[in-house]
Amino acid sequence: MSVARLSVAALLAAAALIAGCATSGPLSRFTTPASPHDGYLATLTASGLSETALGRDWLAAGALAVQRPVSAASPFQETGYFPPAIPSATAYRLDLPRGRRLSIEVTMEASAPTQLFVDLFALRGEAPPERVASLAADATTLVYDVPRDGSYVVRVQPELLRGGRYTITERTLASLAFPVQGLTARAVQSQFGAQRDAGRREHEGLDIFAPRGTPVVAVSAGIARTGTNGLGGNVVWVRDARRSYYYAHLDRWETEGVRTIAAGTVLGYVGNTGNARTTAPHLHFGIYEGSAIDPLPFLAPDDAPPDPAPTNTSRLGTTVRTAQARVPLRPGLTRTPASETVLPQGTIAQVVGQTATAYRLHLPDGSAGYVNQRAVTPGDTPWRRERLQAGALLRERPSATAPVIETLDEPRQADVLGTFGTFRLVRVGGELEGWVGDGSLGGPAAIENE
């Protein structure tokens, strides 16, 4: 029997075998996967499963998630559900500044052992998304130091024919220790880029004010070199493998000359030497990668933990309908969404995610967004009753080109569960469900609004 004709049971068995050998089976002796997701794909391909309908759907789900992520703002937490029988994935888009440390923690609750693939992609204009980091197979937290300002996409996807509830928690953290002992970013009083010398130059760092003699410490391991100049007075340069750090206006050095240091080493003490003689004692701290860059994202405090999702997640994976006349559908988790779609009352959708206050809905046309939890009601109970005409077509989806499930041979009473566009989701005879267009409806026999 060819792989293309394998039964679902055989596919399940093959997928389980792949789950056990994706990173340690015979294929791994000849290739070094770039990520756990790539390693798993390689085993799907080697077994022929990538050419089956389910395999192709799994690949398509992963690609579509990266192309159509929901927008999010740090920090956030969401609990979602992956149905085991339906290949699926989800993704979140984040705008991040250079210097922040992205922390993504993902946990999974499933009835069978399930590997969850978490990949981070950088978006670079018109170029295809570039994968820049992946969650290790035996880890639950992915950490990534953001090298440049930009947009990033986090994709979460389970193995083929595996599913369950996942929770993703995202925060950004300081990537460097604070350079003045005992202080935080609240001590910064002069920002990067501020005008200096009547606009003839810009401030190439941060001014951190502290009492004279406060210890100044290395934010990174590297090579430290002391010096003196007219602007900075007593200064220290520290160079590591990626960039240089500049400490100026020191009252004195801890040790003069060139030496190898560890992060946290005391370099000197806050003062006001150089052109800061007429100002209060402070440290001028700069970061250079060829040119000066803003140090604040490297040093700003860690994001506070996000509000946790409620413990009651019973609606995950269920069908709901909007219970209000106009329900705003937000495109993402950002605080100020660029635009909103308004859903009319009765709109049917599936709950695929949940935050502290909102549900993420998947609509019948494939679009998604967030609504307030109080704006929806269960979609498996009748909304109203209507009469269907003889010859009414019950379709698989709310589309005039969707396959027909059944054609009614006589007029029938139906429970209307909800709507989408010009279609109604109906239940006939207590069991048969399908979508009908407006042309299939006679006059309402009775309407029982909620």
Side-chain angles (χ1 to χ4, degrees):
M1 180 182 294
S2 69
V3 173
R5 295 182 180 178
L6 284 173
S7 66
V8 172
L11 281 170
L12 282 166
L17 177 61
I18 285 172
C21 69
T23 57
S24 60
L27 191 65
S28 66
R29 292 179 291 180
F30 305 103
T31 62
T32 303
S35 70
H37 190 278
D38 281 355
Y40 184 71
L41 174 57
T43 56
L44 287 180
T45 302
S47 67
L49 286 177
S50 63
E51 297 304 316
T52 66
L54 278 172
R56 290 193 297 270
D57 287 350
W58 186 83
L59 290 170
L64 185 62
V66 176
Q67 295 169 12
R68 299 173 63 177
V70 296
S71 57
S74 184
F76 76 87
Q77 182 179 93
E78 181 173 284
T79 297
Y81 178 73
F82 291 124
I86 302 175
S88 53
T90 192
Y92 307 84
R93 176 171 174 154
L94 295 162
D95 293 324
L96 301 171
R98 172 168 51 182
R100 294 305 284 169
R101 176 166 292 168
L102 177 65
S103 172
I104 302 167
E105 181 181 1
V106 183
T107 58
M108 183 80 170
E109 298 178 24
S111 57
T114 301
Q115 184 171 0
L116 205 58
F117 304 108
V118 181
D119 295 283
L120 179 68
F121 298 85
L123 304 183
R124 307 273 189 255
E126 299 300 320
E130 176 191 0
R131 190 185 60 246
V132 294
S134 298
L135 182 69
D138 57 350
T140 59
T141 302
L142 186 157
V143 176
Y144 177 73
D145 287 350
V146 180
R148 59 179 66 88
D149 296 352
S151 296
Y152 295 81
V153 172
V154 182
R155 181 185 65 192
V156 183
Q157 185 173 24
E159 300 171 80
L160 185 64
L161 296 172
R162 291 287 189 270
R165 292 185 182 181
Y166 70 91
T167 297
I168 179 171
T169 304
E170 183 276 340
R171 292 198 300 156
T172 68
L173 317 173
S175 61
L176 296 174
F178 202 74
V180 179
Q181 198 171 85
L183 298 184
T184 68
R186 285 188 288 271
V188 175
Q189 295 186 26
S190 183
Q191 301 287 339
F192 179 84
Q195 296 295 308
R196 290 288 189 271
D197 297 336
R200 291 190 296 273
R201 65 182 179 92
E202 293 183 347
H203 194 217
E204 293 190 345
L206 304 175
D207 286 345
I208 303 167
F209 286 79
R212 185 183 304 277
T214 303
V216 169
V217 298
V219 297
S220 172
I223 305 297
R225 173 175 53 85
T226 61
T228 303
N229 62 58
L231 286 177
N234 296 328
V235 304
V236 176
W237 284 94
V238 175
R239 177 71 187 175
D240 65 14
R242 298 183 61 183
R243 57 182 73 95
S244 296
Y245 308 94
Y246 180 58
Y247 304 76
H249 307 315
L250 300 179
D251 185 66
R252 65 188 190 280
W253 304 296
E254 173 69 10
T255 301
E256 190 172 353
V258 179
R259 59 177 173 147
T260 300
I261 59 163
T265 299
V266 175
L267 303 174
Y269 302 88
V270 170
N272 62 343
T273 57
N275 69 349
R277 290 185 298 273
T278 60
T279 64
H282 66 277
L283 170 70
H284 171 91
F285 178 71
I287 300 179
Y288 293 81
E289 288 185 12
S291 59
I293 60 177
D294 188 359
L296 190 58
F298 294 80
L299 306 176
D302 298 349
D303 292 340
D307 294 334
T311 55
N312 181 7
T313 56
S314 59
R315 283 194 176 168
L316 279 178
T318 68
T319 299
V320 295
R321 65 173 172 267
T322 52
Q324 300 168 9
R326 293 173 57 84
V327 176
L329 180 75
R330 295 184 289 122
L333 292 169
T334 53
R335 296 177 180 85
T336 54
S339 62
E340 290 182 343
T341 299
V342 176
L343 301 178
Q345 186 175 16
T347 300
I348 284 286
Q350 184 180 39
V351 179
V352 296
Q354 180 175 349
T355 70
T357 60
Y359 290 130
R360 179 154 57 94
L361 302 184
H362 188 271
L363 299 172
D365 64 355
S367 60
Y370 292 84
V371 301
N372 189 289
Q373 291 181 13
R374 291 174 291 186
V376 298
T377 191
D380 58 351
T381 57
W383 179 31
R384 61 194 187 203
R385 293 271 294 174
E386 290 185 344
R387 183 177 175 82
L388 301 182
Q389 299 173 347
L393 304 179
L394 271 65
R395 296 186 181 273
E396 188 178 272
R397 299 186 310 276
S399 167
T401 60
V404 174
I405 299 172
E406 185 153 331
T407 302
L408 299 185
D409 56 6
E410 62 180 357
R412 299 284 299 275
Q413 294 292 328
D415 292 321
V416 178
L417 304 179
T419 68
F420 189 77
T422 60
F423 284 79
R424 288 168 168 78
L425 178 62
V426 300
R427 180 184 294 150
V428 181
E431 293 184 358
L432 181 63
E433 289 188 10
W435 291 89
V436 295
D438 282 343
S440 301
L441 295 172
I447 298 178
E448 298 175 1
N449 292 325
E450 295 174 320

